[in-house]
């Protein structure tokens, strides 16, 4: 509770301190505007969805955990690693391509660093697969990645799939955390 971002989140009605990570990146890179179609992967408790809705976005959020409703957000509860959940998400899109995919997904941590890193990278790869199939050509993909085993390989793949990949470490991200956010712009060979 001594964390200034936790206090600020409470004061501004955000569900989590993570909201300020997206706010800062959005302020810098202007990802979200009124009418932007956003898919929020790993959405619970909803801080990122709140930021997107406050900017006027249409949001479809997904998480394995339950999330309290947010006005203006279509929420799907399901496991992103399962085909049925992906089909439900695709159905909610109703053949629309997405302007922005945001992924703050993280696995349930086991405490075994190598296992947790592998699980995290797997979720990042799934988010990229989804993005590659559902993003507009000029759309953007913002993904949380933990630096460690597999990070450099994932970064190389992103650079082959997108024209621009930028590294972001928002102030609200704890200094001791190995998390960074990769902002990917202009999908190469996009679905049209």
């Amino acid at each position: 509770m001594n964390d200034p971002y936790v206090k600020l989140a409470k004061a501004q009605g955000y569900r989590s301190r993570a909201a300020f990570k997206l706010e800062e990146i959005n302020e810098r890179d202007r990802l979200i505007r009124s009418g932007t179609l956003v898919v929020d992967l790993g959405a619970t408790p909803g801080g990122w969805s709140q930021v997107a809705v406050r900017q006027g976005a249409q949001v479809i959020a997904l998480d394995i955990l339950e999330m309290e409703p947010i006005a203006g957000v279509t929420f799907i509860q399901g496991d992103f690693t399962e085909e049925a959940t992906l089909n439900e998400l695709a159905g909610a899109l109703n053949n629309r391509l997405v302007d922005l995919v945001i992924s703050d997904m993280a696995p349930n941590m086991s405490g075994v660093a190598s296992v947790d890193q592998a699980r995290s990278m797997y979720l990042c790869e799934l988010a990229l697969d989804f993005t590659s199939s559902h993003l507009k050509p000029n759309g953007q993909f913002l993904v949380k990645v933990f630096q460690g085993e597999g990070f450099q390989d994932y970064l190389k793949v992103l650079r082959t799939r997108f024209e621009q990949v930028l590294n972001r470490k928002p102030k609200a991200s704890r200094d001791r955390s190995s998390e960074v956010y990769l902002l990917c712009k202009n999908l190469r060979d996009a679905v049209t």
Side-chain angles (χ1 to χ4, degrees), residues 78-93:
D79 186 340
F80 189 67
T81 66
E82 294 180 2
E83 193 70 29
T85 302
L86 291 173
N87 290 339
E88 188 175 351
L89 181 54
L93 289 171

Side-chain angles (χ1 to χ4, degrees), residues 20-81:
F20 298 105
K21 297 173 187 179
L22 182 57
E23 254 192 6
E24 181 182 329
I25 294 168
N26 186 55
E27 205 171 279
R28 179 176 182 175
D29 295 292
R30 304 194 190 293
L31 307 175
I32 308 166
R33 291 177 286 289
S34 183
T36 300
L37 179 57
V38 176
V39 171
D40 183 359
L41 303 174
T44 300
W48 279 26
S49 289
Q50 286 179 300
V51 170
V53 165
R54 288 181 185 185
Q55 295 295 321
Q58 302 170 52
V59 180
I60 300 172
L62 181 137
D63 202 291
I64 195 168
L65 301 174
E66 192 174 337
M67 185 173 88
E68 289 295 318
I70 298 171
V73 176
T74 300
F75 178 68
I76 297 167
Q77 184 176 358
D79 186 340
F80 189 67
T81 66

Side-chain angles (χ1 to χ4, degrees), residues 103 117 120-121 124 143-147 151 154 158 178-182:
S103 175
Q117 180 67 18
S120 175
M121 293 310 304
C124 290
V143 60
K144 174 170 65 180
V145 184
F146 292 99
Q147 296 178 66
F151 175 81
Y154 185 70
L158 290 176
S178 66
E179 75 180 12
V180 295
Y181 292 86
L182 299 175

Side-chain angles (χ1 to χ4, degrees), residues 85-162:
T85 302
L86 291 173
N87 290 339
E88 188 175 351
L89 181 54
L93 289 171
N94 195 26
N95 295 318
R96 297 175 295 171
L97 292 178
V98 179
D99 298 299
L100 174 64
V101 175
I102 51 179
S103 175
D104 201 27
M105 285 192 291
N108 291 329
M109 297 299 182
S110 68
V112 179
S114 61
V115 171
D116 293 339
Q117 180 67 18
R119 288 178 179 163
S120 175
M121 293 310 304
Y122 177 62
L123 291 174
C124 290
E125 290 165 7
L126 291 177
L128 176 59
D129 288 345
F130 171 82
T131 300
S132 296
S133 300
H134 297 280
L135 194 68
K136 288 181 178 177
N138 62 343
Q140 299 177 89
F141 174 43
L142 178 66
V143 60
K144 174 170 65 180
V145 184
F146 292 99
Q147 296 178 66
E149 184 70 31
F151 175 81
Q152 288 299 327
D153 291 337
Y154 185 70
L155 185 58
K156 285 178 189 172
V157 170
L158 290 176
R159 288 182 173 148
T160 65
R161 301 254 185 107
F162 292 87

